[in-house]
Amino acid sequence: MGLHPATRHLIWDLGGTLFDTYPATVEVFRETLRDFGVDADPAEVRALYRTSTDHAVRVTAERYGLDPTLLRERQRAAAARVPPGQFPLFPGARTVLARVRERGGKNLLVTHRDRRGVLDLLACHGIGAWIDDLVTGDDPWPRKPDPASLRAIVGRNGLDGDACLTVGDRALDAEAGRRAGLRTCLFGDAAPEAMPDLRIERLEQLLEHLEPSG
C-alpha cells in the first residue's frame, strides 16, 4: 500500500524503534532466569521479546514450570536497574527527529514503559526536546494493540490523522495504528505476518516520506 506524500507527524514506539533495547533487555531477562536455575538461549529469548514482554514472560514461565507472576515481578525489577546509557539510539534517529521538527511536524511517543524511565532515557541521550508529547505505561490507557493511546495522543494534539504515521517494530504496533485509523510503518525484520503500510530497514528511510518543507 502506498503512502500519502504529506506525512508530517511521526508517532514513535520507543524500545526496538528509537532505542536498541533488545541486547540489554534480553541479557537482563536471561540473568533473571538464571536465578531460577534456567539457562535460556539468547536467540529464543529475543524472538519472544519481539512479540512482547508479556509474551516472553508467559511462554518462558510455561516452558520451564515457573510462577509467571513472580517471574514478571523479578523481570520488571531487573529491567528497572538497567542504566539508560545501555540503551543506544538507533542510527538515524536524531536526524529523523530533527527533520520532523524542522518541517513543522511533531514527534509523539507511545510506549508501555513507565514515565520516569522514559524521561531518564530521553534526557540521557539528549533528545527530550524533540519529543512533543508522550503516552507511557503510567497513563490510563490499555496497552497496544488497543488503539486508545494512539487516538488520545492524536486528539489532544489536534492533529489530522491523515498526516500521521506510526513507527514501531512489532506486529502489535502496526495493529494498534491500523485500529486507530492511522498509517503504519514497521522498522526492522520482525513481524513478517504483519501488514503495515510501510516497512523500513533504516530509520533514515522515513525521510523519503516526510512532507517537504515550505
Side-chain angles (χ1 to χ4, degrees):
M1 184 183 300
L3 280 176
H4 190 282
T7 297
R8 177 179 288 264
H9 315 290
L10 295 182
I11 306 176
W12 298 88
D13 178 50
L14 186 132
T17 304
L18 272 176
F19 292 91
D20 188 3
T21 54
Y22 285 114
T25 299
V26 167
E27 186 53 37
V28 164
F29 191 54
R30 293 184 68 226
E31 290 175 2
T32 301
L33 288 173
R34 281 194 282 269
D35 291 339
F36 290 90
V38 173
D39 186 14
D41 180 78
E44 292 181 0
V45 173
R46 183 183 177 90
L48 293 172
Y49 262 89
R50 293 305 294 263
T51 296
S52 73
T53 301
D54 287 342
H55 177 75
V57 170
R58 183 174 61 254
V59 171
T60 304
E62 181 177 350
R63 180 176 298 168
Y64 296 104
L66 306 178
D67 180 339
T69 301
L70 180 59
L71 179 57
R72 184 65 164 125
E73 290 175 354
R74 294 200 180 172
Q75 179 273 330
R76 283 175 173 165
R81 294 193 293 270
V82 179
Q86 290 191 22
F87 298 133
L89 275 168
F90 275 109
R94 294 181 188 276
T95 299
V96 177
L97 289 167
R99 192 71 57 83
V100 168
R101 294 291 295 275
E102 289 170 2
R103 296 184 176 185
K106 291 189 175 185
N107 291 299
L108 309 178
L109 183 62
V110 176
T111 176
H112 297 155
R113 292 172 179 265
D114 69 274
R115 181 171 291 265
R116 183 69 265 162
V118 172
L119 294 177
D120 287 346
L121 186 56
L122 297 177
C124 175
H125 294 274
I127 64 169
W130 287 335
I131 302 298
D132 296 277
D133 194 5
L134 69 162
V135 168
T136 71
D138 295 336
D139 293 304
W141 308 113
R143 296 168 70 91
K144 293 179 284 187
D146 190 292
S149 57
L150 293 172
R151 289 172 177 161
I153 203 167
V154 169
R156 75 188 183 199
N157 283 276
L159 304 183
D160 177 359
D162 289 341
C164 299
L165 178 68
T166 68
V167 187
D169 70 299
R170 294 169 168 173
L172 60 83
D173 295 312
E175 182 181 349
R178 183 170 58 252
R179 291 171 61 186
L182 304 171
R183 288 173 295 114
T184 61
C185 170
L186 282 183
F187 168 53
D189 59 359
E193 75 283 2
M195 298 292 290
D197 296 294
L198 173 68
R199 281 188 179 273
I200 58 173
E201 296 180 359
R202 296 175 296 102
L203 291 181
E204 292 98 325
Q205 290 175 266
L206 289 167
L207 299 176
E208 304 169 16
H209 303 280
L210 295 180
E211 180 181 59
S213 58

